[in-house]
Amino acid sequence: MFVIDYIVSTGASVMMPLIFIILGLALRLSISKAIKAGLMVGIGFIGLSITVNLMIDSLTPVSHAIVERFGLNLTVLDVGWPAAAAVAMGTRVGALVIPVCVAINVLMLYTKTTRILNVDIWNLWHHAFTGSLVAILTDNLWLGVFAAGLNCVITMVIADRTSKDVEKYLSLPGIAVPHGFSVSFVPAAWLVNAIVDRIPYVRDIKIDTEVIQRHLSILGDPASLGAIIGAILAIIAGVDVKTILQTAITMAAVMTIIPRMAKMLMEGVYPISERIQEIAQSRAGSFGQISIGLDSAVSVGHPVTLSVSMLMIPIMLILAAIIPGNQFLPFASLTGLPFAFVLVTAVCRGDMFRTLLTGLLTLSLALLIGTSLAPIVTSTAVSTGFSLPNGASSISSVDYAGAMLPWAIIQGFDLKAIGIGVVTLGSLLLALWNRRKIVQENLQLVQESHIVVAETGEKS
């Protein structure tokens, strides 16, 4: 625990290179290749972090101006994901979540209930968040740890089921995204796809980067699209011309730089991923493909993801003002919305129309969920010594207190034995269903490889 805590305390930009170097050496890569892989991952994470922080610094005053202009006066303050993560990792559940989730990942790999090797250790705080709230709610540490474990299992299954979409539509082969916040929006995306596919004419609507480039060429370029959306947000906020121009240029830079930083990070991931595939195939041909689990930051710069996220900032503020029963004022989390849509973009096949529909549904629910969980989030924060902002009596966050997955688990544990049983059984069934899918997919891979071998032999 001391070693793990020390590594985590160094931050993602140091922690991830260390993990990849150690992993590379354990997989018997040469020392030079392992070190280079780790350094490229670290450089990519630093580049992504700097660019995302640049976006946050630019959009925060614009978001604040929009809040003031709308005159929103709601009682639950949004403290953002950094505060939520600090609260989650500051509890007793947070102290145990890393070894527990690592053990779950290893067990799921051996039982073939997942194909993901998750190295995104830092974002295990999402599971700790769920577990911490359950521990406070039930006054039982071990129920909290158990809830965190179930959150981990469900997240891994959903990440597995979206890995092909991540490869195809986000251009990230061999990568999965077991990021708690991103995963929580996937069921809604599946639902939206299912509904839209059954509506004539509506199902034919498609707005992806190719369509935009064909009809509105200037919007098809990420830099131009970022500049236009940034300028529109600033104009809505009613800021001066100087700030409008600065916001537009910054968003153009963000849309251009993030994909390049992600590509650099992937240069470090590929050697590890390829080596894992080699070992898996040599030791067990039916084991199939293994995916590396990474932070959703690897694809936060997709044009559809960023575009929908920025469009949802003013929309979410309007929703906060008009949805009955909402008391949650979104603010600090607004600039983190891209992380919510990474997997939604993949599941919606890169279609902006369906991604936006999913955003309207999920973020409307996020406001009500954030309001619902505010009392227990506040209690948990206070118990860890977290200082509430001046004038705030109740706090929450879109990430992770506004997500459907933790809310569902917490509601289940609040129902005592019956609810806990339902959530546990549901998680087990999901894992077994995923195992069945994995076995079928592995069998298909083996059959396809035999066909290729046979065809090669005939040609020879």
Side-chain angles (χ1 to χ4, degrees):
M1 282 301 301
F2 174 79
V3 173
I4 291 173
D5 287 343
Y6 182 80
I7 293 175
V8 172
S9 70
T10 61
S13 60
V14 174
M15 179 183 70
M16 295 308 294
L18 285 176
I19 290 175
F20 271 85
I21 291 172
I22 294 171
L23 188 58
L25 294 174
L27 294 171
R28 297 184 180 179
L29 283 180
S30 66
I31 295 177
S32 60
K33 285 185 177 180
I35 292 175
K36 184 178 180 180
L39 289 177
M40 292 305 292
V41 168
I43 293 168
F45 262 101
I46 289 174
L48 286 170
S49 177
I50 291 172
T51 311
V52 170
N53 286 334
L54 176 66
M55 178 181 69
I56 292 172
D57 291 341
S58 179
L59 289 182
T60 296
V62 173
S63 301
H64 186 65
I66 293 175
V67 170
E68 291 183 349
R69 194 171 190 185
F70 275 94
L72 298 179
N73 185 21
L74 302 170
T75 57
V76 179
L77 183 65
D78 179 9
V79 294
W81 75 263
V87 169
M89 298 305 283
T91 67
R92 290 180 294 168
V93 175
L96 296 170
V97 74
I98 292 177
V100 167
C101 289
V102 168
I104 289 173
N105 189 182
V106 172
L107 179 62
M108 291 183 73
L109 282 169
Y110 272 105
T111 57
K112 297 184 181 178
T113 49
T114 189
R115 289 174 298 190
I116 299 172
L117 176 62
N118 185 18
V119 299
D120 184 20
I121 302 298
W122 164 245
N123 278 303
L124 295 178
W125 76 261
H126 289 101
H127 313 322
F129 185 89
T130 302
S132 298
L133 266 59
V134 167
I136 290 290
L137 183 68
T138 62
D139 194 27
N140 188 312
L141 168 64
W142 299 111
L143 281 180
V145 173
F146 186 54
L150 294 180
N151 199 141
C152 177
V153 170
I154 297 170
T155 297
M156 296 294 286
V157 171
I158 296 176
D160 240 320
R161 290 301 97 208
T162 56
S163 60
K164 289 185 178 180
D165 293 327
V166 168
E167 177 174 354
K168 184 174 182 179
Y169 298 105
L170 304 183
S171 302
L172 295 172
I175 299 302
V177 181
H179 185 278
F181 187 43
S182 303
V183 157
S184 290
F185 289 76
V186 168
W190 284 333
L191 176 63
V192 167
N193 274 342
I195 293 173
V196 171
D197 285 339
R198 286 165 174 77
I199 304 175
Y201 302 110
V202 175
R203 65 188 173 208
D204 297 325
I205 298 175
K206 186 176 183 181
I207 309 174
D208 58 13
T209 51
E210 291 182 6
V211 171
I212 294 173
Q213 286 173 344
R214 192 182 313 126
H215 297 287
L216 295 168
S217 58
I218 189 172
L219 294 180
D221 176 63
S224 301
L225 186 61
I228 291 170
I229 294 177
I232 290 173
L233 285 175
I235 291 170
I236 293 173
V239 295
D240 57 53
V241 174
K242 178 182 176 181
T243 304
I244 292 173
L245 295 174
Q246 289 175 337
T247 305
I249 297 300
T250 301
M251 290 305 102
V254 167
M255 293 280 278
T256 303
I257 296 172
I258 284 183
R260 298 183 182 184
M261 291 299 102
K263 183 178 180 181
M264 186 173 291
L265 181 146
M266 292 306 299
E267 289 181 22
V269 173
Y270 283 140
I272 303 294
S273 178
E274 290 173 356
R275 180 59 181 151
I276 289 176
Q277 302 298 345
E278 290 173 5
I279 293 174
Q281 290 172 6
S282 64
R283 296 190 178 183
S286 62
F287 196 72
Q289 299 292 313
I290 299 294
S291 298
I292 302 293
L294 292 178
D295 190 333
S296 55
V298 295
S299 190
V300 78
H302 191 284
V304 170
T305 299
L306 280 180
S307 300
V308 171
S309 302
M310 287 189 273
L311 288 173
M312 284 305 301
I313 290 177
I315 292 174
M316 194 172 186
L317 290 169
I318 294 172
L319 292 172
I322 65 175
I323 291 179
N326 175 59
Q327 288 298 313
F328 181 45
L329 174 61
F331 175 61
S333 296
L334 291 176
T335 50
L337 290 183
F339 296 93
F341 292 104
V342 168
L343 288 179
V344 173
T345 298
V347 172
C348 292
R349 303 184 286 276
D351 180 37
M352 187 180 294
F353 174 67
R354 297 186 183 211
T355 302
L356 186 58
L357 288 180
T358 304
L360 290 170
L361 172 61
T362 52
L363 294 182
S364 295
L365 292 173
L367 293 170
L368 296 175
I369 293 171
T371 300
S372 171
L373 292 182
I376 190 171
V377 171
T378 306
S379 298
T380 305
V382 171
S383 72
T384 62
F386 180 81
S387 299
L388 299 182
N390 291 332
S393 59
S394 186
I395 62 172
S396 195
S397 172
V398 175
D399 178 6
Y400 190 43
M404 287 173 283
L405 176 56
W407 179 83
I409 294 173
I410 291 165
Q411 297 306 307
F413 275 73
D414 194 28
L415 294 174
K416 310 301 181 185
I418 294 177
I420 295 172
V422 169
V423 174
T424 303
L425 180 61
S427 303
L428 179 60
L429 290 175
L430 277 175
L432 292 175
W433 168 73
N434 195 43
R435 185 183 190 280
R436 181 181 177 186
K437 300 288 285 186
I438 289 172
V439 170
Q440 290 174 346
E441 290 163 357
N442 288 346
L443 180 60
Q444 184 178 355
L445 285 173
V446 171
Q447 291 173 343
E448 289 175 354
S449 65
H450 287 166
I451 292 173
V452 171
V453 170
E455 290 177 348
T456 303
E458 289 176 0
K459 291 179 181 179
S460 300

